Amino acid sequence: MGFDIDQSKVKRLLAGESYIGHIPSSWIAEWIETRRFVPTADMRRLAESDAVLICVPTPLSDSRDPT
C-alpha cells in the first residue's frame, strides 16, 4: 500500500502513471494491475499495515546523492 495526502498523486498512480522520474509508469501500471501496489489517500487504511515507513522529499544531486 502507498499512502499520500495528495489525491492528485494517488489518481495518477491509480491510472498507472508514475510521477517519480526514476520509476517507470510501466512498473506502476503492472503493480497496480496485479494488485501488488494499492495507492490511497485514505488515512484510515494505514491501520491495515503492520509497519508504516515515512518518506519525505529530499533534494538530490544529479548523481542521486542527498544535497
Side-chain angles (χ1 to χ4, degrees):
M1 178 186 313
F3 170 80
D4 200 303
I5 60 171
D6 186 339
Q7 184 64 46
S8 65
K9 289 180 180 177
V10 172
K11 285 181 181 181
R12 288 178 70 181
L13 292 169
L14 287 168
E17 180 185 338
S18 176
Y19 61 87
I20 302 170
H22 66 280
I23 299 178
S25 291
S26 59
W27 185 91
I28 297 292
E30 178 186 340
W31 280 57
I32 294 286
E33 184 178 324
T34 58
R35 300 190 54 81
R36 290 183 280 175
F37 176 58
V38 179
T40 184
D42 183 353
M43 191 174 287
R44 295 171 296 185
R45 301 246 2 240
L46 294 176
E48 300 171 30
S49 301
D50 292 327
V52 176
L53 303 176
I54 300 172
C55 302
V56 296
T58 302
L60 300 176
S61 67
D62 290 339
S63 63
R64 309 224 18 95
D65 294 317
T67 58

Coordinates of all heavy atoms in Angstrom, one line a residue:
M1 N 0.8 -1.2 0.0 CA 0.0 0.0 0.0 C 0.9 1.2 0.0 O 1.9 1.3 0.6 CB -0.9 0.0 1.2 CG -1.8 1.2 1.3 SD -2.7 1.3 2.9 CE -3.4 -0.3 3.0
G2 N 0.5 2.2 -0.7 CA 1.2 3.5 -0.7 C 0.2 4.6 -0.3 O -1.0 4.6 -0.8
F3 N 0.6 5.4 0.6 CA -0.3 6.5 1.1 C 0.3 7.8 0.8 O 1.5 8.1 0.9 CB -0.5 6.4 2.6 CG -1.2 7.6 3.2 CD1 -2.6 7.7 3.1 CD2 -0.5 8.6 3.8 CE1 -3.2 8.8 3.7 CE2 -1.1 9.7 4.3 CZ -2.5 9.8 4.3
D4 N -0.6 8.8 0.3 CA -0.2 10.2 0.1 C -1.4 11.0 0.4 O -2.5 10.7 0.1 CB 0.3 10.4 -1.3 CG 1.2 11.6 -1.4 OD1 0.7 12.7 -1.0 OD2 2.3 11.5 -1.8
I5 N -1.1 12.2 1.0 CA -2.2 13.1 1.3 C -2.7 13.8 0.0 O -3.7 14.4 0.0 CB -1.9 14.1 2.4 CG1 -0.7 14.9 2.0 CG2 -1.7 13.4 3.7 CD1 -0.4 16.1 3.0
D6 N -1.8 13.8 -1.0 CA -2.1 14.5 -2.3 C -2.9 13.6 -3.2 O -2.4 12.7 -3.8 CB -0.8 14.9 -2.9 CG -1.0 15.7 -4.2 OD1 -2.1 15.7 -4.8 OD2 0.0 16.4 -4.6
Q7 N -4.2 13.8 -3.2 CA -5.1 12.9 -4.0 C -4.8 12.9 -5.5 O -5.0 11.9 -6.2 CB -6.6 13.4 -3.8 CG -7.6 12.5 -4.5 CD -7.6 11.1 -4.0 OE1 -7.7 10.9 -2.8 NE2 -7.6 10.1 -4.9
S8 N -4.2 14.0 -6.0 CA -3.8 14.1 -7.4 C -2.7 13.1 -7.7 O -2.7 12.4 -8.8 CB -3.4 15.5 -7.9 OG -2.3 15.9 -7.2
K9 N -1.8 12.9 -6.8 CA -0.7 11.9 -7.0 C -1.3 10.5 -6.9 O -1.0 9.6 -7.7 CB 0.3 12.0 -5.9 CG 1.2 13.2 -6.1 CD 2.2 13.3 -5.0 CE 3.1 14.6 -5.2 NZ 4.1 14.7 -4.1
V10 N -2.3 10.2 -6.0 CA -2.9 8.9 -5.9 C -3.7 8.6 -7.2 O -3.6 7.5 -7.7 CB -3.8 8.9 -4.7 CG1 -4.7 7.6 -4.7 CG2 -3.0 9.0 -3.4
K11 N -4.4 9.6 -7.7 CA -5.1 9.4 -9.0 C -4.2 9.0 -10.1 O -4.5 8.1 -10.9 CB -5.9 10.6 -9.4 CG -7.1 10.8 -8.5 CD -7.9 12.0 -9.0 CE -9.2 12.2 -8.1 NZ -9.9 13.4 -8.5
R12 N -3.0 9.7 -10.2 CA -2.0 9.4 -11.3 C -1.5 8.0 -11.1 O -1.4 7.2 -12.1 CB -0.9 10.4 -11.2 CG -1.3 11.7 -11.7 CD -0.1 12.7 -11.6 NE 0.9 12.4 -12.6 CZ 2.0 13.1 -12.7 NH1 2.3 14.1 -11.9 NH2 2.9 12.8 -13.6
L13 N -1.2 7.6 -9.9 CA -0.8 6.2 -9.6 C -1.8 5.2 -10.0 O -1.5 4.2 -10.6 CB -0.3 6.0 -8.2 CG 0.9 6.8 -7.8 CD1 1.1 6.8 -6.3 CD2 2.2 6.3 -8.5
L14 N -3.1 5.4 -9.6 CA -4.2 4.5 -9.9 C -4.3 4.4 -11.4 O -4.8 3.3 -11.9 CB -5.5 5.0 -9.2 CG -5.5 4.8 -7.7 CD1 -6.7 5.5 -7.2 CD2 -5.6 3.3 -7.4
A15 N -4.0 5.4 -12.2 CA -4.1 5.4 -13.6 C -2.8 4.7 -14.2 O -2.7 4.6 -15.5 CB -4.2 6.8 -14.2
G16 N -1.9 4.2 -13.4 CA -0.7 3.6 -13.9 C 0.4 4.6 -14.3 O 1.3 4.2 -15.1
E17 N 0.3 5.8 -13.8 CA 1.3 6.8 -14.3 C 2.2 7.2 -13.1 O 1.7 7.5 -12.0 CB 0.5 8.1 -14.7 CG 1.3 9.2 -15.1 CD 0.5 10.4 -15.4 OE1 -0.7 10.3 -15.7 OE2 1.1 11.5 -15.4
S18 N 3.5 7.1 -13.3 CA 4.5 7.5 -12.3 C 4.7 9.0 -12.4 O 4.8 9.6 -13.5 CB 5.8 6.7 -12.6 OG 6.8 7.2 -11.6
Y19 N 4.9 9.6 -11.2 CA 5.3 11.0 -11.1 C 6.7 11.1 -10.6 O 7.2 12.2 -10.4 CB 4.3 11.8 -10.3 CG 4.2 11.3 -8.9 CD1 5.1 11.8 -7.9 CD2 3.2 10.4 -8.5 CE1 5.0 11.4 -6.6 CE2 3.1 10.0 -7.2 CZ 4.0 10.5 -6.2 OH 3.9 10.0 -4.9
I20 N 7.3 10.0 -10.4 CA 8.7 9.9 -10.0 C 9.6 9.5 -11.1 O 9.5 8.5 -11.7 CB 8.9 8.9 -8.8 CG1 7.9 9.3 -7.7 CG2 10.3 8.9 -8.3 CD1 7.8 8.3 -6.6
G21 N 10.6 10.4 -11.5 CA 11.4 10.3 -12.7 C 12.1 8.9 -12.8 O 12.1 8.4 -13.9
H22 N 12.6 8.3 -11.8 CA 13.3 7.1 -12.0 C 12.5 5.8 -11.8 O 13.0 4.7 -11.9 CB 14.5 7.1 -11.0 CG 14.1 7.0 -9.5 ND1 13.7 8.1 -8.9 CD2 14.1 6.0 -8.7 CE1 13.4 7.8 -7.6 NE2 13.6 6.5 -7.5
I23 N 11.2 6.0 -11.6 CA 10.3 4.8 -11.6 C 9.4 4.9 -12.8 O 8.6 5.8 -12.9 CB 9.4 4.8 -10.3 CG1 10.3 4.8 -9.1 CG2 8.4 3.7 -10.3 CD1 9.6 4.8 -7.7
P24 N 9.5 3.9 -13.7 CA 8.7 4.0 -15.0 C 7.2 3.7 -14.7 O 6.9 2.9 -13.9 CB 9.4 2.9 -15.8 CG 10.1 2.0 -14.9 CD 10.4 2.8 -13.7
S25 N 6.4 4.4 -15.5 CA 5.0 4.2 -15.5 C 4.6 2.7 -15.7 O 3.7 2.2 -15.1 CB 4.3 5.1 -16.5 OG 4.4 6.4 -16.1
S26 N 5.4 2.0 -16.6 CA 5.1 0.6 -16.8 C 5.2 -0.2 -15.6 O 4.4 -1.2 -15.4 CB 6.1 0.1 -17.9 OG 7.4 0.2 -17.5
W27 N 6.1 0.1 -14.7 CA 6.2 -0.6 -13.4 C 5.0 -0.4 -12.6 O 4.4 -1.3 -12.0 CB 7.5 -0.2 -12.7 CG 7.8 -1.0 -11.5 CD1 8.6 -2.1 -11.4 CD2 7.4 -0.6 -10.1 NE1 8.6 -2.5 -10.0 CE2 7.9 -1.6 -9.3 CE3 6.6 0.4 -9.6 CZ2 7.7 -1.6 -7.9 CZ3 6.3 0.4 -8.2 CH2 6.9 -0.6 -7.4
I28 N 4.6 0.9 -12.4 CA 3.5 1.3 -11.7 C 2.2 0.6 -12.2 O 1.5 -0.1 -11.5 CB 3.3 2.8 -11.6 CG1 4.4 3.5 -11.0 CG2 1.9 3.2 -11.0 CD1 4.6 3.3 -9.5
A29 N 2.0 0.6 -13.5 CA 0.8 0.0 -14.1 C 0.8 -1.5 -13.9 O -0.3 -2.0 -13.5 CB 0.8 0.3 -15.6
E30 N 1.9 -2.2 -14.0 CA 1.9 -3.6 -13.7 C 1.6 -3.9 -12.3 O 0.8 -4.8 -12.0 CB 3.3 -4.2 -14.1 CG 3.4 -5.7 -13.8 CD 4.9 -6.2 -14.0 OE1 5.6 -5.5 -14.7 OE2 5.1 -7.3 -13.5
W31 N 2.2 -3.2 -11.4 CA 1.9 -3.5 -9.9 C 0.5 -3.1 -9.5 O -0.1 -3.8 -8.7 CB 3.0 -2.7 -9.1 CG 4.2 -3.5 -9.0 CD1 5.0 -3.9 -10.1 CD2 4.9 -4.0 -7.9 NE1 6.1 -4.6 -9.7 CE2 6.1 -4.7 -8.3 CE3 4.6 -4.0 -6.5 CZ2 6.9 -5.3 -7.4 CZ3 5.5 -4.6 -5.7 CH2 6.6 -5.3 -6.1
I32 N -0.1 -2.1 -10.2 CA -1.5 -1.8 -9.9 C -2.4 -2.9 -10.5 O -3.3 -3.4 -9.8 CB -1.9 -0.4 -10.6 CG1 -1.2 0.7 -9.9 CG2 -3.4 -0.2 -10.6 CD1 -1.7 1.1 -8.6
E33 N -2.1 -3.3 -11.7 CA -2.9 -4.4 -12.3 C -2.9 -5.7 -11.6 O -3.9 -6.3 -11.5 CB -2.4 -4.6 -13.8 CG -3.2 -5.6 -14.6 CD -2.7 -5.8 -16.0 OE1 -2.2 -4.8 -16.6 OE2 -2.8 -6.9 -16.5
T34 N -1.7 -6.0 -11.0 CA -1.6 -7.3 -10.3 C -1.9 -7.1 -8.8 O -1.8 -8.1 -8.0 CB -0.2 -7.9 -10.4 OG1 0.8 -6.9 -10.0 CG2 0.1 -8.2 -11.9
R35 N -2.3 -5.9 -8.4 CA -2.7 -5.6 -7.0 C -1.6 -5.8 -6.0 O -1.9 -6.1 -4.8 CB -4.0 -6.3 -6.6 CG -5.2 -6.0 -7.6 CD -6.5 -6.5 -7.1 NE -6.9 -6.2 -5.8 CZ -7.4 -5.0 -5.4 NH1 -7.6 -4.0 -6.3 NH2 -7.8 -4.8 -4.1
R36 N -0.4 -5.7 -6.5 CA 0.8 -5.7 -5.6 C 1.0 -4.4 -4.9 O 1.8 -4.2 -4.0 CB 2.0 -6.2 -6.3 CG 2.0 -7.7 -6.6 CD 3.2 -8.2 -7.3 NE 3.2 -7.7 -8.7 CZ 4.2 -7.9 -9.5 NH1 5.4 -8.4 -9.1 NH2 4.1 -7.5 -10.8
F37 N 0.4 -3.3 -5.5 CA 0.6 -2.0 -5.0 C -0.8 -1.3 -5.1 O -1.5 -1.3 -6.1 CB 1.6 -1.2 -5.9 CG 1.7 0.3 -5.5 CD1 2.1 0.6 -4.2 CD2 1.4 1.2 -6.4 CE1 2.2 2.0 -3.9 CE2 1.6 2.6 -6.1 CZ 1.9 2.9 -4.9
V38 N -1.2 -0.8 -4.0 CA -2.5 -0.1 -3.9 C -2.3 1.3 -3.3 O -2.1 1.4 -2.1 CB -3.5 -0.9 -3.0 CG1 -4.9 -0.2 -2.9 CG2 -3.7 -2.3 -3.5
P39 N -2.4 2.3 -4.2 CA -2.2 3.7 -3.6 C -3.5 4.2 -3.0 O -4.6 3.8 -3.5 CB -1.8 4.5 -4.9 CG -2.2 3.7 -6.0 CD -2.4 2.3 -5.6
T40 N -3.4 5.0 -2.0 CA -4.6 5.6 -1.3 C -4.3 6.9 -0.7 O -3.1 7.1 -0.3 CB -5.2 4.6 -0.3 OG1 -6.4 5.1 0.2 CG2 -4.2 4.3 0.8
A41 N -5.3 7.7 -0.5 CA -5.2 8.9 0.2 C -6.0 8.8 1.5 O -6.2 9.8 2.2 CB -5.6 10.2 -0.6
D42 N -6.6 7.7 1.8 CA -7.4 7.4 2.9 C -6.6 7.0 4.1 O -6.1 5.9 4.2 CB -8.4 6.3 2.6 CG -9.4 6.0 3.7 OD1 -9.3 6.6 4.8 OD2 -10.4 5.2 3.5
M43 N -6.4 7.9 5.0 CA -5.5 7.7 6.2 C -6.0 6.5 7.0 O -5.2 5.8 7.7 CB -5.4 8.9 7.0 CG -4.3 8.9 8.1 SD -4.0 10.4 9.0 CE -3.2 11.3 7.7
R44 N -7.3 6.2 7.0 CA -7.8 5.1 7.8 C -7.2 3.8 7.4 O -7.1 2.8 8.1 CB -9.3 5.1 7.7 CG -10.0 6.3 8.4 CD -11.4 6.3 8.1 NE -11.6 6.5 6.7 CZ -12.8 6.7 6.0 NH1 -13.9 6.7 6.7 NH2 -12.8 6.9 4.7
R45 N -6.8 3.7 6.1 CA -6.3 2.4 5.6 C -4.9 2.1 6.2 O -4.5 1.0 6.1 CB -6.1 2.5 4.0 CG -7.4 2.8 3.3 CD -8.0 1.7 2.4 NE -7.3 0.5 2.3 CZ -6.9 0.0 1.1 NH1 -7.0 0.6 0.0 NH2 -6.4 -1.2 1.1
L46 N -4.2 3.1 6.8 CA -2.9 2.8 7.4 C -3.1 1.8 8.5 O -2.1 1.1 8.8 CB -2.3 4.1 7.9 CG -1.9 5.1 6.8 CD1 -1.4 6.4 7.5 CD2 -0.9 4.5 5.9
A47 N -4.2 1.7 9.1 CA -4.5 0.7 10.2 C -4.4 -0.7 9.7 O -4.1 -1.6 10.5 CB -5.8 1.0 10.8
E48 N -4.4 -0.9 8.4 CA -4.3 -2.3 7.8 C -2.8 -2.7 7.8 O -2.6 -3.9 7.5 CB -4.9 -2.3 6.4 CG -6.3 -1.9 6.3 CD -6.7 -1.7 4.8 OE1 -6.2 -2.4 3.9 OE2 -7.6 -0.9 4.6
S49 N -1.9 -1.8 7.9 CA -0.5 -2.1 7.8 C 0.1 -2.6 9.1 O -0.2 -2.2 10.2 CB 0.2 -0.8 7.3 OG -0.3 -0.3 6.1
D50 N 1.1 -3.5 8.9 CA 1.9 -3.9 10.0 C 3.0 -2.9 10.4 O 3.5 -2.9 11.5 CB 2.6 -5.3 9.7 CG 1.6 -6.4 9.6 OD1 0.5 -6.4 10.3 OD2 1.8 -7.3 8.8
A51 N 3.5 -2.2 9.4 CA 4.5 -1.2 9.6 C 4.2 0.0 8.7 O 3.7 -0.2 7.6 CB 5.9 -1.7 9.3
V52 N 4.6 1.2 9.1 CA 4.5 2.4 8.3 C 5.9 3.0 8.1 O 6.5 3.3 9.1 CB 3.5 3.4 8.9 CG1 3.4 4.7 8.1 CG2 2.1 2.8 9.1
L53 N 6.3 3.2 6.8 CA 7.5 3.9 6.5 C 7.2 5.3 6.1 O 6.3 5.5 5.2 CB 8.3 3.2 5.4 CG 8.6 1.7 5.7 CD1 9.3 1.1 4.4 CD2 9.5 1.6 6.9
I54 N 7.8 6.3 6.7 CA 7.5 7.7 6.4 C 8.6 8.2 5.5 O 9.8 8.2 5.9 CB 7.4 8.5 7.7 CG1 6.2 8.0 8.5 CG2 7.2 10.0 7.3 CD1 6.1 8.6 9.9
C55 N 8.3 8.7 4.3 CA 9.3 9.2 3.4 C 8.9 10.7 3.2 O 7.8 11.1 3.0 CB 9.2 8.5 2.1 SG 9.5 6.7 2.2
V56 N 10.0 11.5 3.2 CA 9.8 12.9 2.9 C 10.7 13.3 1.7 O 11.7 12.7 1.5 CB 10.1 13.8 4.1 CG1 9.1 13.5 5.3 CG2 11.5 13.6 4.6
P57 N 10.3 14.3 1.0 CA 11.1 14.7 -0.2 C 12.5 15.2 0.3 O 12.7 15.9 1.3 CB 10.4 15.9 -0.8 CG 9.0 15.8 -0.2 CD 9.1 15.1 1.1
T58 N 13.5 14.7 -0.4 CA 14.9 15.1 -0.1 C 15.5 15.6 -1.4 O 15.5 14.8 -2.4 CB 15.7 13.8 0.4 OG1 15.1 13.3 1.5 CG2 17.2 14.2 0.6
P59 N 16.1 16.8 -1.5 CA 16.7 17.2 -2.7 C 17.9 16.3 -3.0 O 18.7 15.9 -2.1 CB 17.2 18.6 -2.3 CG 16.7 19.0 -1.0 CD 16.2 17.7 -0.4
L60 N 18.0 15.9 -4.3 CA 19.1 15.1 -4.7 C 19.9 15.8 -5.8 O 19.4 16.5 -6.6 CB 18.5 13.8 -5.3 CG 17.7 12.9 -4.4 CD1 17.1 11.7 -5.1 CD2 18.5 12.5 -3.2
S61 N 21.2 15.4 -5.8 CA 22.1 15.9 -6.9 C 21.9 15.1 -8.2 O 21.1 14.1 -8.2 CB 23.5 15.8 -6.5 OG 23.9 14.4 -6.4
D62 N 22.6 15.5 -9.2 CA 22.4 14.7 -10.5 C 22.9 13.2 -10.3 O 22.4 12.4 -11.0 CB 23.3 15.3 -11.6 CG 22.7 16.6 -12.1 OD1 21.5 16.9 -11.8 OD2 23.4 17.5 -12.7
S63 N 23.7 13.0 -9.4 CA 24.2 11.6 -9.1 C 23.3 10.9 -8.1 O 23.6 9.8 -7.6 CB 25.6 11.6 -8.7 OG 25.8 12.3 -7.4
R64 N 22.2 11.5 -7.7 CA 21.2 11.0 -6.8 C 21.6 10.9 -5.4 O 21.1 10.2 -4.6 CB 20.7 9.6 -7.3 CG 20.2 9.7 -8.7 CD 18.9 9.0 -9.1 NE 17.9 8.7 -8.2 CZ 16.9 9.4 -7.9 NH1 16.7 10.6 -8.5 NH2 16.0 9.0 -7.1
D65 N 22.6 11.8 -5.0 CA 23.1 11.9 -3.6 C 22.3 13.0 -2.9 O 22.0 14.0 -3.6 CB 24.6 12.2 -3.6 CG 25.4 11.1 -4.1 OD1 25.2 10.0 -3.8 OD2 26.4 11.4 -4.9
P66 N 21.9 12.8 -1.7 CA 21.2 13.9 -0.9 C 22.1 15.2 -0.9 O 23.3 15.1 -0.8 CB 21.0 13.4 0.5 CG 21.2 11.9 0.3 CD 22.1 11.7 -0.8
T67 N 21.5 16.3 -1.1 CA 22.2 17.6 -1.1 C 22.0 18.3 0.2 O 21.1 18.0 1.0 CB 21.8 18.5 -2.3 OG1 20.4 18.7 -2.2 CG2 22.2 17.9 -3.6

